[in-house]
Amino acid sequence: MNKLFRPQTYEELTSILESQTEKYLYYSGGTEVMSDYRQGKIKEKQWIDIKHLPGMMEQSPETIGACVFLNQLTQPAMLAEVAQGIADHTIRNHLTIGGNVCGKLPFREIVLPLLALDAEISIFSDGEIIRVPLKERFDKFLKLQPGELVTGFHFDRTERPYHYKRHTITGSIDYPLMTYLAVRTEQGYFVGLSGYGSIPQFAWFENWDVEEILNSFKAVSNDRGSADYRKKLLEIELEKGAPNEAV
Amino acid sequence: MEVNQSPLGRNERRVDADVKVTGQAVFTGDMYVSGMLHTAFKRSPHAFAKIVRIDTSEASKLPGVKRIVTGEEFPTNLGLYMGDKPVMARGVVRHYGEHVAAVIADTKKQAEAAVNLIKVEYEIKKPILSVSDALQADAELIHPDIMSYATIPAIIPQEGTNVPNLTKIRKGDIDKAFGEAAHTVKSSVSIPIGDHVAMERRAATCRITADGDVHITSSTQAPFVVKSLLGIFFNIPPGKIIVDTPFVGGGFGGKAGLQLEGLAYALSKSVGGRPVMVENSREDDMVTSPGHMGLEATVELAADSQGKLLGLRGEYNYNSGAYADYAVNISRAGAIAGTGPYRVDNVHIDSRCVYTNLPFSTAFRGFGHIEMIFAVERAMSELANKIGLDPYEIRHKNAIQPGDTTPVQSLLGRSTGNLRGCLDLVKNELGDITEVEQVDGKIRAKSIVSFWKAPAMPTNTDAGAILTFNIDGSCNINTGIIEIGQGTKTGLVQLVAETLRVETDMVHVEIGVRTRTSPTDWATAASRALMMAGSAAVEAAQDALDQMYDTAEAVLKVPKRLLDHGGGRIFEKDHPDIGLSFAEIALGYVYPDGNTIKGQIIGRGRYVAHKLTGIDPDTGQGHPDLEWTIGSHGIQVLVDPNTGIFEIERAICAMDVGKVVNPDLARGQVIGSMSMGIGYTIYEGFKFNSRGQITNENLRDHKIMRYGQQPKYDVFFLETPQLDGPYGLRGLGEPGITGMPAAISNALSRALGRPIRHIPFTPEKLAMEDHHE
Ligand SMILES: Cc1cc2nc3c(=O)[nH]c(=O)nc-3n(C[C@H](O)[C@H](O)[C@H](O)COP(=O)(O)OP(=O)(O)OC[C@H]3O[C@@H](n4cnc5c(N)ncnc54)[C@H](O)[C@@H]3O)c2cc1C
């Protein structure tokens, strides 16, 4: 039988963790966990629902809690727009920002604006909460030690000029063939891609040199489309120019 | 609702609406009985392999496991028109996902846990993944015993090949036609196999009781086909088989024929007749149960200098996957209709059903016509381009008319629908079809195509209806026809109310069907339900009226010919205030002194298709086509030629349906067909790797249309009566999908200035010049 824990405090969480002899998993929005479970892909029997821990649902100028749902993200505009591109409305009512960053699927689109915004991330680690720049921990996926838990994100809400385009092979509700986010930063430009390769790709550039930007990303070929087509789509977006105008 | 309006032709609310939207409708998967056992299946991960060994020893030790069975236990083959499919794989697996072993356990979880412990050793073979590979002379035979399978005579397997059916059409002199032609074109198209994606997944339960009765409950479109095939394949007297069908959540052809019922029976039998539930998950439903066929086709057209068609040469190779199921007859249906709705005097068609190592397929809305029409209409547009003729013009000029003959040389009579009228309606909406507009770097373009469809069914296809009455004079319709959401039962109520001249709330209808009590009916298939079960229901209502007139004649002492009926009464024509209500006569007339005469009214109605024949194996000559529903589609697209991303802005359908019984439901069927056709053409279809493993067997990767993605639809109906249909109606459930791939292809081809021929039409195919072309 599966067991579900619902800790209200970090002390409670710590004691639950200490009592664990078997493998467990964190349960946030559950959209990935439940669909994997139905397909028999989840082996863990102990589930820990993290939504009731302090701060997990926080939405303050300083912090967005890890369990805030995608439909609740409103600021800055680029974050809200990327969030609104993910899955469908019903799913976004359950899908959490932390879950999207930590999930196993290759897209993790919400990582792109968070990186562009130089977000910091709070992690519950060994009984305490630490705060580090997201980009220090994110390489292909979020690097977490066993037991570590993302509790929130911290970033500046100031609007910045950006370009966003999400290409799919069917309608808007589909995994991305290429999600493109280009943001004007203090030093130059951030360009982030999801669906373009098998992991989210991103880089910072001093100048808007289409050739240079295009060549710094690697496209994959898969069921959704060929690498050549992805390259073509990226080139079309880059040719539209740098995100210099405020939106 | 206007009280005085006749029930026919009005927007009656669907009889199944309230229970469906409140979640009260009970489907097969909800039908638990106490002691019911559950099942899970070991599926083949390979597309083509020998089974060397199956080890169930670990699995059978798990708690709750009652039995584990493999295919070897059941020597029987199942099938529909060809008995080519073992109950579960025996010795060889022929497609990814094929059932290899079954676990029967107390709970579904236990069964699933045990499946994970079954070990199967395979010897993998190189799978055949395309029709063209399967047709190579040296191709491995997927069914080496093809000639030993039981078939119906209409199916013609080809010895030593992967072709379980070849239908030939030979009409006129094709070589002469091409020799004399001023213009010829040749064009090839392709369609991948895919899934129906009915909302309700397939399910069946079986229990065998002490009296030997075999009780099946199933989400089937064809309970009487299930009954007869179970009888044949398992040697059970038909009267001992009781098939119950509750609500069915969509079928689109995927629940016609024999599906999970044979498996449920075999598994129940293996545990001494205990109740067993077989229920597909979505993933199972997509690859272990059949989907729709694929196609590789080439059409050559010959025309004179004015664009009049002289000849058509067609090569239709349908991909049926690993087993034939309905596919053998679909390839036949595609041939019978193989010119599209045009007069063509010289025809040469070879239409094959071809085995490959992909998941197998069965009937799908349109039954082979959607595929064939795509091939013909693509060629028609290429011909029009070559001659410089307007796409509307060339279709109008060649439109089939009463007095013309079909590819199988059957003569079209007065009931033939008005194709020219349909083409005019579509053209009226779209204007100049050849106009191409530039809009902010995008291109807007249009298309027009024609379609037709005839049922492909046994020559003795039948239906029946029984009308019983209640004490208030209301009646109950009992037919064997299945409601899968198409609205037939609502239509039956309207037809019976019209005939009896009562309000529709005086007519009740049974949604479920039980084969031991409902009159025999072939199936919900071939868009035939309202025409055939409707004919039977109208006849039953007339029969009931005759009986009520008998009673009234006796009581009122006025000859029948001087009586009339209306408003739930039978009355004297001369003195309408003198009469009897249906309530007074429905269960026998009771005199004031208590004496009673005549007893209850039981109306009886029958329908059987008339004058149908098979077709000649060498020429195709015959009369297998009962009625043709004819129409036209128009499409408008807006394409970004750089990214290939496009929008279907408008979809138009004009169809000659004989008589519109319920305008909203008719429109709903046609819009539903068009929407499904769009998904089929631009999104759907299975993807697989080089090993033949399906890689999109879920709805996150196999996308279907959503509400928010629909274009603007326009639907027009013409009413050229079908003389043998009730109140002149003919079938309309399927034809609205049949021209959609062609219409979308032709609009995109016009926009981009090059032929778009390979479904699905993804943006990538449109953006990358030589992609797959
Ligand atoms: C229908 C559907 C469509 C989707 N479409 C898209 C899409 O278009 N683009 C896209 O990027 N993604 C998409 N996803 C993927 C989705 O974003 C991820 O599956 C995400 O992980 C789900 O978040 P959740 O809150 O529901 O996570 P859960 O299912 O609760 O958890 C997912 C995983 O993350 C771990 N986890 C969750 N929260 C934390 C945390 N705070 N700290 C540490 N570990 C944690 C869990 O242990 C688990 O392993 C889609 C998912 C679904 C179901």
Short mmCIF file of all heavy atoms in Angstrom, two decimals, chain A residues 25-35 50 56 66 85-87 91 94-96 98-100 102-105 107-109 144 148-150 166 174-176, chain B residues 700, ligand 1:
data_model
loop_
_atom_site.label_atom_id
_atom_site.label_comp_id
_atom_site.label_asym_id
_atom_site.label_seq_id
_atom_site.Cartn_x
_atom_site.Cartn_y
_atom_site.Cartn_z
N LEU A 25 9.17 9.77 -2.42
CA LEU A 25 9.24 10.86 -3.39
C LEU A 25 8.44 12.05 -2.91
O LEU A 25 7.51 11.91 -2.11
CB LEU A 25 8.80 10.40 -4.79
CG LEU A 25 7.37 10.05 -5.12
CD1 LEU A 25 6.46 11.27 -5.22
CD2 LEU A 25 7.36 9.37 -6.48
N TYR A 26 8.86 13.23 -3.39
CA TYR A 26 8.11 14.46 -3.10
C TYR A 26 6.97 14.59 -4.09
O TYR A 26 7.13 14.34 -5.29
CB TYR A 26 9.04 15.67 -3.19
CG TYR A 26 10.04 15.74 -2.08
CD1 TYR A 26 11.39 15.96 -2.34
CD2 TYR A 26 9.63 15.58 -0.75
CE1 TYR A 26 12.32 16.02 -1.32
CE2 TYR A 26 10.55 15.64 0.28
CZ TYR A 26 11.90 15.86 0.00
OH TYR A 26 12.80 15.91 1.01
N TYR A 27 5.85 15.02 -3.55
CA TYR A 27 4.64 15.17 -4.36
C TYR A 27 4.25 16.63 -4.34
O TYR A 27 3.96 17.19 -3.29
CB TYR A 27 3.53 14.31 -3.74
CG TYR A 27 2.25 14.28 -4.53
CD1 TYR A 27 1.99 13.23 -5.42
CD2 TYR A 27 1.29 15.27 -4.38
CE1 TYR A 27 0.81 13.19 -6.13
CE2 TYR A 27 0.11 15.23 -5.10
CZ TYR A 27 -0.12 14.19 -5.97
OH TYR A 27 -1.28 14.15 -6.68
N SER A 28 4.31 17.25 -5.51
CA SER A 28 3.94 18.68 -5.56
C SER A 28 2.60 18.82 -6.25
O SER A 28 1.57 18.48 -5.69
CB SER A 28 5.06 19.47 -6.25
OG SER A 28 4.77 20.84 -6.22
N GLY A 29 2.58 19.26 -7.52
CA GLY A 29 1.29 19.35 -8.23
C GLY A 29 0.75 17.98 -8.59
O GLY A 29 -0.45 17.78 -8.74
N GLY A 30 1.66 17.03 -8.74
CA GLY A 30 1.26 15.65 -9.00
C GLY A 30 0.94 15.33 -10.45
O GLY A 30 0.59 14.20 -10.76
N THR A 31 1.08 16.29 -11.34
CA THR A 31 0.66 15.99 -12.72
C THR A 31 1.60 14.96 -13.37
O THR A 31 1.16 14.15 -14.18
CB THR A 31 0.62 17.26 -13.60
OG1 THR A 31 1.93 17.80 -13.72
CG2 THR A 31 -0.31 18.31 -13.02
N GLU A 32 2.85 15.01 -13.00
CA GLU A 32 3.79 14.02 -13.55
C GLU A 32 3.73 12.72 -12.73
O GLU A 32 3.66 11.63 -13.28
CB GLU A 32 5.21 14.59 -13.53
CG GLU A 32 6.25 13.66 -14.09
CD GLU A 32 7.61 14.36 -14.24
OE1 GLU A 32 7.66 15.43 -14.88
OE2 GLU A 32 8.60 13.85 -13.69
N VAL A 33 3.71 12.88 -11.42
CA VAL A 33 3.71 11.70 -10.54
C VAL A 33 2.48 10.83 -10.82
O VAL A 33 2.60 9.62 -10.98
CB VAL A 33 3.75 12.14 -9.06
CG1 VAL A 33 3.48 10.95 -8.15
CG2 VAL A 33 5.08 12.78 -8.73
N MET A 34 1.31 11.46 -10.92
CA MET A 34 0.10 10.66 -11.09
C MET A 34 0.07 9.96 -12.44
O MET A 34 -0.35 8.81 -12.55
CB MET A 34 -1.16 11.53 -10.94
CG MET A 34 -1.48 11.91 -9.51
SD MET A 34 -1.46 10.53 -8.34
CE MET A 34 -2.96 9.70 -8.82
N SER A 35 0.51 10.67 -13.50
CA SER A 35 0.43 9.99 -14.80
C SER A 35 1.50 8.89 -14.89
O SER A 35 1.25 7.85 -15.50
CB SER A 35 0.46 10.97 -15.99
OG SER A 35 1.32 12.03 -15.73
N ILE A 50 4.35 18.13 -0.42
CA ILE A 50 5.13 19.25 0.10
C ILE A 50 4.37 20.57 0.09
O ILE A 50 4.88 21.60 0.54
CB ILE A 50 6.44 19.42 -0.71
CG1 ILE A 50 6.11 19.60 -2.20
CG2 ILE A 50 7.34 18.20 -0.49
CD1 ILE A 50 7.33 19.89 -3.06
N MET A 56 5.59 27.41 0.88
CA MET A 56 5.50 26.73 -0.41
C MET A 56 4.53 27.41 -1.37
O MET A 56 4.66 27.32 -2.59
CB MET A 56 5.10 25.27 -0.22
CG MET A 56 6.27 24.40 0.21
SD MET A 56 7.52 24.38 -1.08
CE MET A 56 8.53 23.01 -0.54
N ALA A 66 7.72 27.24 -4.16
CA ALA A 66 7.91 26.20 -5.18
C ALA A 66 6.58 25.56 -5.61
O ALA A 66 6.48 25.00 -6.69
CB ALA A 66 8.85 25.12 -4.65
N GLY A 85 2.13 29.03 -21.74
CA GLY A 85 2.35 28.17 -22.91
C GLY A 85 2.39 26.69 -22.55
O GLY A 85 2.26 25.83 -23.40
N ILE A 86 2.58 26.39 -21.27
CA ILE A 86 2.81 25.01 -20.84
C ILE A 86 1.49 24.26 -20.65
O ILE A 86 0.55 24.80 -20.07
CB ILE A 86 3.62 25.00 -19.51
CG1 ILE A 86 5.01 25.59 -19.75
CG2 ILE A 86 3.70 23.61 -18.92
CD1 ILE A 86 5.82 25.85 -18.50
N ALA A 87 1.41 23.06 -21.16
CA ALA A 87 0.26 22.16 -20.96
C ALA A 87 -1.06 22.86 -21.29
O ALA A 87 -1.11 23.67 -22.21
CB ALA A 87 0.26 21.59 -19.54
N ILE A 91 -4.50 21.55 -16.46
CA ILE A 91 -3.23 21.04 -15.92
C ILE A 91 -2.49 22.16 -15.19
O ILE A 91 -1.93 21.95 -14.11
CB ILE A 91 -2.36 20.45 -17.06
CG1 ILE A 91 -3.04 19.24 -17.69
CG2 ILE A 91 -0.96 20.10 -16.55
CD1 ILE A 91 -2.93 17.96 -16.89
N HIS A 94 -2.83 22.79 -11.59
CA HIS A 94 -2.19 21.85 -10.66
C HIS A 94 -0.68 21.86 -10.77
O HIS A 94 0.02 21.52 -9.82
CB HIS A 94 -2.69 20.42 -10.94
CG HIS A 94 -4.15 20.24 -10.63
ND1 HIS A 94 -4.58 19.88 -9.38
CD2 HIS A 94 -5.24 20.40 -11.38
CE1 HIS A 94 -5.90 19.82 -9.39
NE2 HIS A 94 -6.32 20.13 -10.59
N LEU A 95 -0.19 22.17 -11.96
CA LEU A 95 1.24 22.06 -12.23
C LEU A 95 1.99 23.18 -11.51
O LEU A 95 1.65 24.35 -11.67
CB LEU A 95 1.42 22.18 -13.75
CG LEU A 95 2.56 21.41 -14.42
CD1 LEU A 95 2.34 21.38 -15.92
CD2 LEU A 95 3.90 21.94 -14.08
N THR A 96 3.01 22.83 -10.73
CA THR A 96 3.69 23.85 -9.93
C THR A 96 5.00 24.29 -10.58
O THR A 96 5.61 23.56 -11.36
CB THR A 96 4.01 23.31 -8.52
OG1 THR A 96 4.93 22.22 -8.65
CG2 THR A 96 2.75 22.86 -7.80
N GLY A 98 7.84 24.73 -9.08
CA GLY A 98 8.93 23.87 -8.60
C GLY A 98 8.91 22.53 -9.31
O GLY A 98 9.95 21.98 -9.68
N GLY A 99 7.71 21.99 -9.51
CA GLY A 99 7.58 20.71 -10.20
C GLY A 99 8.10 20.80 -11.62
O GLY A 99 8.76 19.89 -12.12
N ASN A 100 7.82 21.91 -12.29
CA ASN A 100 8.29 22.06 -13.67
C ASN A 100 9.81 22.12 -13.74
O ASN A 100 10.44 21.58 -14.64
CB ASN A 100 7.66 23.30 -14.32
CG ASN A 100 7.91 23.33 -15.83
OD1 ASN A 100 8.82 24.02 -16.29
ND2 ASN A 100 7.14 22.58 -16.58
N CYS A 102 11.83 20.73 -11.48
CA CYS A 102 12.41 19.46 -10.99
C CYS A 102 11.97 18.23 -11.78
O CYS A 102 12.49 17.14 -11.55
CB CYS A 102 12.02 19.23 -9.53
SG CYS A 102 12.61 20.51 -8.44
N GLY A 103 10.99 18.37 -12.66
CA GLY A 103 10.40 17.19 -13.31
C GLY A 103 11.39 16.46 -14.21
O GLY A 103 12.47 16.96 -14.51
N LYS A 104 10.97 15.26 -14.65
CA LYS A 104 11.87 14.44 -15.45
C LYS A 104 11.71 14.68 -16.94
O LYS A 104 12.57 14.33 -17.73
CB LYS A 104 11.60 12.96 -15.16
CG LYS A 104 12.05 12.56 -13.77
CD LYS A 104 11.82 11.08 -13.53
CE LYS A 104 11.90 10.76 -12.05
NZ LYS A 104 10.81 11.40 -11.25
N LEU A 105 10.58 15.26 -17.34
CA LEU A 105 10.39 15.51 -18.77
C LEU A 105 11.43 16.50 -19.26
O LEU A 105 11.89 17.35 -18.50
CB LEU A 105 8.97 16.04 -19.02
CG LEU A 105 7.89 14.96 -19.02
CD1 LEU A 105 6.51 15.58 -19.07
CD2 LEU A 105 8.07 14.02 -20.20
N PHE A 107 11.43 19.14 -21.06
CA PHE A 107 11.12 20.51 -21.50
C PHE A 107 11.44 21.58 -20.45
O PHE A 107 12.18 22.52 -20.71
CB PHE A 107 9.67 20.60 -21.96
CG PHE A 107 9.37 19.56 -23.00
CD1 PHE A 107 8.61 18.44 -22.69
CD2 PHE A 107 9.91 19.67 -24.26
CE1 PHE A 107 8.38 17.46 -23.65
CE2 PHE A 107 9.68 18.70 -25.22
CZ PHE A 107 8.91 17.59 -24.92
N ARG A 108 10.86 21.47 -19.26
CA ARG A 108 11.16 22.38 -18.15
C ARG A 108 11.19 23.84 -18.60
O ARG A 108 12.11 24.58 -18.33
CB ARG A 108 12.48 22.01 -17.49
CG ARG A 108 12.45 20.61 -16.93
CD ARG A 108 13.77 20.21 -16.29
NE ARG A 108 13.94 18.79 -16.41
CZ ARG A 108 14.87 18.19 -17.16
NH1 ARG A 108 15.75 18.89 -17.83
NH2 ARG A 108 14.92 16.88 -17.22
N GLU A 109 10.14 24.23 -19.29
CA GLU A 109 10.16 25.54 -19.95
C GLU A 109 10.30 26.71 -18.99
O GLU A 109 10.86 27.76 -19.32
CB GLU A 109 8.90 25.72 -20.80
CG GLU A 109 8.88 24.80 -22.00
CD GLU A 109 7.56 24.87 -22.75
OE1 GLU A 109 7.31 25.88 -23.41
OE2 GLU A 109 6.79 23.89 -22.66
N LEU A 144 20.12 18.16 -7.54
CA LEU A 144 19.69 18.08 -6.13
C LEU A 144 20.32 16.85 -5.50
O LEU A 144 20.45 15.81 -6.14
CB LEU A 144 18.15 17.95 -6.04
CG LEU A 144 17.31 19.18 -6.40
CD1 LEU A 144 15.83 18.83 -6.26
CD2 LEU A 144 17.64 20.37 -5.53
N GLU A 148 17.00 16.64 -0.86
CA GLU A 148 16.88 18.10 -1.05
C GLU A 148 15.55 18.44 -1.71
O GLU A 148 15.05 17.70 -2.55
CB GLU A 148 18.05 18.63 -1.89
CG GLU A 148 19.31 18.83 -1.06
CD GLU A 148 20.42 19.54 -1.84
OE1 GLU A 148 20.35 19.58 -3.09
OE2 GLU A 148 21.36 20.02 -1.19
N LEU A 149 15.09 19.62 -1.31
CA LEU A 149 13.75 20.03 -1.74
C LEU A 149 13.81 21.50 -2.12
O LEU A 149 14.35 22.32 -1.36
CB LEU A 149 12.81 19.83 -0.55
CG LEU A 149 11.37 20.26 -0.67
CD1 LEU A 149 10.67 19.39 -1.69
CD2 LEU A 149 10.69 20.13 0.69
N VAL A 150 13.27 21.84 -3.29
CA VAL A 150 13.20 23.25 -3.67
C VAL A 150 12.03 23.88 -2.93
O VAL A 150 10.92 23.33 -2.94
CB VAL A 150 12.99 23.39 -5.19
CG1 VAL A 150 12.86 24.86 -5.57
CG2 VAL A 150 14.13 22.74 -5.94
N ARG A 166 6.52 30.02 -29.25
CA ARG A 166 6.44 28.60 -28.92
C ARG A 166 5.90 27.88 -30.14
O ARG A 166 4.75 28.09 -30.54
CB ARG A 166 5.51 28.41 -27.73
CG ARG A 166 5.57 27.04 -27.09
CD ARG A 166 4.78 27.06 -25.78
NE ARG A 166 4.95 25.83 -25.04
CZ ARG A 166 4.22 24.73 -25.24
NH1 ARG A 166 3.28 24.73 -26.16
NH2 ARG A 166 4.42 23.66 -24.50
N ASP A 174 0.52 21.31 -26.79
CA ASP A 174 1.38 20.20 -27.20
C ASP A 174 2.76 20.51 -26.64
O ASP A 174 3.06 21.68 -26.34
CB ASP A 174 1.43 20.14 -28.74
CG ASP A 174 2.02 18.82 -29.26
OD1 ASP A 174 2.46 18.00 -28.43
OD2 ASP A 174 2.01 18.64 -30.47
N TYR A 175 3.57 19.51 -26.50
CA TYR A 175 4.96 19.77 -26.12
C TYR A 175 5.60 20.62 -27.21
O TYR A 175 5.23 20.52 -28.38
CB TYR A 175 5.73 18.47 -25.98
CG TYR A 175 5.29 17.60 -24.83
CD1 TYR A 175 5.04 16.26 -25.02
CD2 TYR A 175 5.12 18.14 -23.55
CE1 TYR A 175 4.64 15.45 -23.96
CE2 TYR A 175 4.73 17.34 -22.49
CZ TYR A 175 4.48 16.00 -22.71
OH TYR A 175 4.09 15.20 -21.68
N PRO A 176 6.58 21.43 -26.82
CA PRO A 176 7.15 22.33 -27.83
C PRO A 176 8.11 21.62 -28.79
O PRO A 176 8.89 20.76 -28.38
CB PRO A 176 7.91 23.35 -26.98
CG PRO A 176 8.24 22.64 -25.71
CD PRO A 176 7.12 21.65 -25.47
N ARG B 700 -0.74 12.32 -25.27
CA ARG B 700 0.12 13.49 -25.21
C ARG B 700 0.93 13.62 -26.48
O ARG B 700 1.30 14.71 -26.88
CB ARG B 700 1.08 13.38 -24.03
CG ARG B 700 0.39 13.74 -22.74
CD ARG B 700 1.42 14.14 -21.71
NE ARG B 700 1.05 13.59 -20.43
CZ ARG B 700 1.81 13.68 -19.36
NH1 ARG B 700 2.98 14.29 -19.43
NH2 ARG B 700 1.42 13.17 -18.22
C1 LIG C 1 -0.49 16.96 -19.54
C2 LIG C 1 0.87 17.52 -19.26
C3 LIG C 1 1.42 18.41 -20.16
C4 LIG C 1 2.68 18.96 -19.92
N1 LIG C 1 3.16 19.88 -20.80
C5 LIG C 1 4.36 20.46 -20.52
C6 LIG C 1 4.87 21.49 -21.35
O1 LIG C 1 4.25 21.87 -22.33
N2 LIG C 1 6.06 22.04 -21.04
C7 LIG C 1 6.79 21.65 -19.94
O2 LIG C 1 7.83 22.20 -19.68
N3 LIG C 1 6.32 20.66 -19.15
C8 LIG C 1 5.14 20.08 -19.42
N4 LIG C 1 4.67 19.09 -18.60
C9 LIG C 1 5.60 18.56 -17.60
C10 LIG C 1 5.40 19.14 -16.24
O3 LIG C 1 5.77 20.46 -16.20
C11 LIG C 1 6.28 18.33 -15.31
O4 LIG C 1 5.81 17.00 -15.41
C12 LIG C 1 6.28 18.81 -13.88
O5 LIG C 1 7.19 18.04 -13.21
C13 LIG C 1 4.97 18.69 -13.19
O6 LIG C 1 4.93 19.49 -12.03
P1 LIG C 1 4.10 19.03 -10.79
O7 LIG C 1 4.06 20.13 -9.83
O8 LIG C 1 2.80 18.49 -11.23
O9 LIG C 1 5.10 17.89 -10.31
P2 LIG C 1 4.89 16.49 -9.56
O10 LIG C 1 4.20 15.53 -10.46
O11 LIG C 1 4.34 16.70 -8.23
O12 LIG C 1 6.42 16.10 -9.42
C14 LIG C 1 7.23 15.84 -10.53
C15 LIG C 1 8.64 15.46 -10.07
O13 LIG C 1 9.31 16.60 -9.52
C16 LIG C 1 9.67 16.37 -8.16
N5 LIG C 1 9.42 17.62 -7.44
C17 LIG C 1 8.27 18.36 -7.54
N6 LIG C 1 8.41 19.47 -6.78
C18 LIG C 1 9.64 19.42 -6.22
C19 LIG C 1 10.34 20.30 -5.35
N7 LIG C 1 9.80 21.44 -4.91
N8 LIG C 1 11.59 19.95 -4.96
C20 LIG C 1 12.15 18.79 -5.39
N9 LIG C 1 11.54 17.93 -6.22
C21 LIG C 1 10.29 18.25 -6.63
C22 LIG C 1 8.80 15.24 -7.71
O14 LIG C 1 9.41 14.51 -6.70
C23 LIG C 1 8.63 14.42 -8.97
O15 LIG C 1 9.73 13.61 -9.20
C24 LIG C 1 3.42 18.55 -18.78
C25 LIG C 1 2.86 17.64 -17.89
C26 LIG C 1 1.58 17.14 -18.12
C27 LIG C 1 1.00 16.20 -17.11
#
